[in-house]
Amino acid sequence: MSKQKMSAEDKKMVNGLFWNSFLLEASYNYERQQALGFSVGMWPAIKRFYKTKEGQAEALKRHMAIFNTTPHMVSVISGVTAAMEKEASENKDFDKDIINNVKVGLMGPLAGIGDSLAQFCLAPLFATIGASLAMDGLIMGPILFFVAMNVILLAMKLLTGMWGYKLGTNIIATLSTKMEQISNIASMIGVTVISG
């Protein structure tokens, strides 16, 4: 599968995936964890690519397999999955089992990257800056922490969804070559901030 070109309809669909991704943990449970939220989150793509009720039901059911990742990185997986659903809807010979295999293969490593970035890089950085401002009696400290964390994580969530859709299944090769580099950078920044 090659890189997807983004039309206006594609961008609208990816934006729909972004907004629906906030439902990811709305129905978290111990049997399938975030599966129901992910399945509902995929609705804009499923509705677009499958025109029959049977096709839509099959796709929704396929996404009810156990799923669990960090909410900040789910858009990458949604984008890649949407690209694969497009391929599956257009190509009758496409093995639909690959869709869940790729999802499962991405959810663990991306959860590690997302957690490292959010909790060990951005949070210590902005908490340190916010705490030093708060110690000087400035209300801007906690506000800076709240705004900076949310703006960066939301922007990352939106942009990675588009990136995931554009790359399609090529994201696996791209991430595998950069995984160690991303992890090392996040660790260095986190250690630097904590030691500072």
Side-chain angles (χ1 to χ4, degrees), residues 30-84:
Y30 289 106
E31 183 184 355
R32 296 184 186 192
Q33 299 182 341
Q34 299 167 330
L36 181 58
F38 187 85
S39 185
V40 170
M42 288 300 298
W43 180 245
I46 291 168
K47 182 173 67 170
R48 180 171 174 215
F49 299 136
Y50 298 98
K51 301 305 180 192
T52 66
K53 295 285 184 195
E54 293 78 19
Q56 292 172 350
E58 180 189 341
L60 285 170
K61 187 176 177 183
R62 178 171 44 252
H63 294 298
M64 285 301 296
I66 191 168
F67 183 80
N68 190 28
T69 194
T70 187
H72 315 304
M73 300 303 284
V74 73
S75 291
V76 178
I77 300 169
S78 297
V80 171
T81 304
M84 289 189 296

Side-chain angles (χ1 to χ4, degrees), residues 58-169:
E58 180 189 341
L60 285 170
K61 187 176 177 183
R62 178 171 44 252
H63 294 298
M64 285 301 296
I66 191 168
F67 183 80
N68 190 28
T69 194
T70 187
H72 315 304
M73 300 303 284
V74 73
S75 291
V76 178
I77 300 169
S78 297
V80 171
T81 304
M84 289 189 296
E85 290 290 1
K86 179 179 182 182
E87 178 88 11
S89 70
E90 295 170 352
N91 180 358
K92 299 297 180 198
D93 297 327
F94 187 85
D95 183 6
K96 293 178 181 173
D97 291 335
I98 292 173
I99 296 172
N100 274 332
N101 294 343
V102 170
K103 267 176 37 185
V104 169
L106 289 174
M107 72 182 187
L110 289 177
I113 290 173
D115 287 344
S116 295
L117 185 63
Q119 297 170 13
F120 302 117
C121 183
L122 296 176
L125 174 66
F126 293 119
T128 304
I129 295 168
S132 68
L133 291 172
M135 286 175 60
D136 290 337
L138 299 171
I139 189 71
M140 195 60 194
I143 293 171
L144 171 76
F145 174 79
F146 179 78
V147 170
M149 284 290 293
N150 284 302
V151 166
I152 290 172
L153 292 175
L154 287 174
M156 183 176 76
K157 197 173 191 179
L158 179 62
L159 296 174
T160 58
M162 291 189 185
W163 182 62
Y165 184 73
K166 284 181 191 176
L167 285 177
T169 53

